[in-house]
Amino acid sequence: MSQRFDVIIIGAGGAGLMCAMTAGQRGRSVAVLEHNDRIGKKILISGGGRCNFTNLDAGPENYISSNPHFCRSALSRYPAGEFIELVRKHGIEFYEKTLGQLFCKHSSRQIVGLLEGECRDAGVDIISECKVNALQGDNGFQLQTSLGDFECESLVIATGALSFPKLGATDFGYRVAKQFGVPIVEPRPGLVPIIPKLGDGSPWPFIELSGISISCVASAGGQSFRDQLLFTHRGLSGPAVLQVSNYCRQGETFALNLLVDETSTALLDDARQSRQTPDRWLEKWFPKRFAHAFAKQFVPAKPMAQMKQTDRERLVKQLLEWKLIVAKTEGYAKAEVTVGGVDTNALSSKTMECCEISGLYFIGEVLDVTGWLGGYNFQWAWVSGHAAGQMV
Ligand SMILES: Cc1cc2nc3c(=O)[nH]c(=O)nc-3n(C[C@H](O)[C@H](O)[C@H](O)COP(=O)(O)OP(=O)(O)OC[C@H]3O[C@@H](n4cnc5c(N)ncnc54)[C@H](O)[C@@H]3O)c2cc1C
């Protein structure tokens, strides 16, 4: 005997749980099937354990998609304020860290508790450690799972994407899309540390700077982000670099401005008059280890005033527009999100339902909608889950 529900949601992450509670509140019978032993694992580890659960300023311009207008309708119908109201209702204390980014004051566990509590109150069945072995769409949907057979009228795929496989990420959503003929925009790791090459193609020489953080503006693909960059034992990370990783692929160029508040003219004037060697001159702005390694890499060790003008110009150019190439990234193991995914051209932007397959919905990160760093990805999970939850 199959267990029958109006709605089955596969995946108990942010999007799936939001969809479940919304549909449950409408009186639909809802089951969420999750293959992990616990729900919301990504929420638990997010934001360093404090979940950056939304961004006050989330708008379509903060998302990347090959169909950039798709997210507009759902975002406008479930603005950040709606989720904040829910957070307040549950007595969860939060604070704005920077740039509209809202974090829990205490723990991400509170956000999972909120979603679980709302689902319970709405009568949703959350079924963990349930593996879906096969599914068919024939006058509704039929699922064969490790816990028996299920049937439903509406099926929602909320299984996330490929980043962080150790938390249970799978390609399940893409396989379902293929099974039903829904196209996929090629996925790749996003918000991911970059292993760069220098502009001339030579290997990254700054491994010994691991641990140093400096502020910068990082730019790629027409977008710029002012934030910190972090030297790692393999390359570059930190919020500014994670942000630009969404905008450049392997082999493409990104640029760093390491002295955002200086101009080329002022720096060249200062350099021309300085008796300091380049490493000491750079110490005015940067940590000593960085100043020494950067100077050694790019200019001769002689007083700035005695250096050839072309050498001074080269150094200043590197400081203000340091062009680097993406040799590779740290991949899905370290990527916070996946760029690309189920092609939104095949879906209704109001409901997340497939245009060609009645009753089949895709929500959350499995879709080709990727947010910036800063709470935008959870906002998309809430927004898309809410949109589908109102229709299923
Ligand atoms: C380290 C890290 C930190 C992050 N921090 C933030 C942050 O602070 N703010 C922010 O906005 N975003 C953050 N993100 C991104 C954010 O976590 C995701 O965008 C968001 O969780 C996506 O929600 P989702 O529900 O679509 O997918 P997921 O959260 O990935 O949920 C999908 C669920 O489906 C389950 N599943 C997968 N395959 C199957 C299957 N075959 N059968 C059954 N279940 C399955 C998974 O186990 C999982 O529970 C972070 C990501 C990472 C990796």
Side-chain angles (χ1 to χ4, degrees), residues 10-16 33-36 38-43 45-48 51-54 103 130-132 158-161 163-164 167-170 172 175 335-337 363-366 372 374-379 381:
I10 308 182
L33 309 184
E34 166 60 51
H35 70 166
N36 277 341
R38 59 192 298 192
I39 63 170
K41 277 196 174 177
K42 269 197 190 159
I43 301 175
I45 62 147
S46 67
C51 187
N52 178 192
F53 58 82
T54 192
F103 283 75
C130 180
K131 186 172 179 324
V132 179
T159 45
S163 53
F164 264 61
L167 295 181
T170 65
F172 182 86
R175 282 189 273 127
E336 286 199 12
V337 291
I363 57 172
E365 201 184 316
V366 71
W372 290 359
Y376 301 100
N377 285 296
F378 278 131
Q379 184 58 22

Side-chain angles (χ1 to χ4, degrees), residues 46-74:
S46 67
R50 297 221 166 117
C51 187
N52 178 192
F53 58 82
T54 192
N55 193 296
L56 291 172
D57 305 318
E61 61 284 359
N62 307 116
Y63 293 87
I64 304 153
S65 171
S66 54
N67 181 11
H69 295 297
F70 178 82
C71 61
R72 191 175 289 275
S73 157

Side-chain angles (χ1 to χ4, degrees), residues 225-276:
F225 298 90
R226 185 173 188 160
D227 214 318
Q228 294 297 115
L229 75 76
L230 174 70
F231 287 85
T232 70
H233 63 291
R234 283 159 64 86
L236 291 174
S237 185
V241 170
L242 297 181
Q243 297 278 31
V244 287
S245 74
N246 278 353
Y247 290 92
C248 49
R249 294 158 193 268
Q250 193 168 1
E252 291 180 353
T253 300
F254 63 104
L256 301 174
N257 179 346
L258 304 178
L259 284 176
V260 178
D261 299 319
E262 302 287 344
T263 64
S264 172
T265 316
L267 286 169
L268 282 170
D269 281 351
D270 191 75
R272 207 177 299 117
Q273 291 162 35
S274 173
R275 293 197 192 140
Q276 291 174 312

Side-chain angles (χ1 to χ4, degrees), residues 83 86-87 90 92 109-119:
F83 194 77
L86 206 49
V87 168
H90 284 256
I92 300 171
R109 279 198 301 274
Q110 296 174 292
I111 299 294
V112 177
L114 174 162
L115 295 164
E116 202 171 8
E118 291 287 334
C119 282

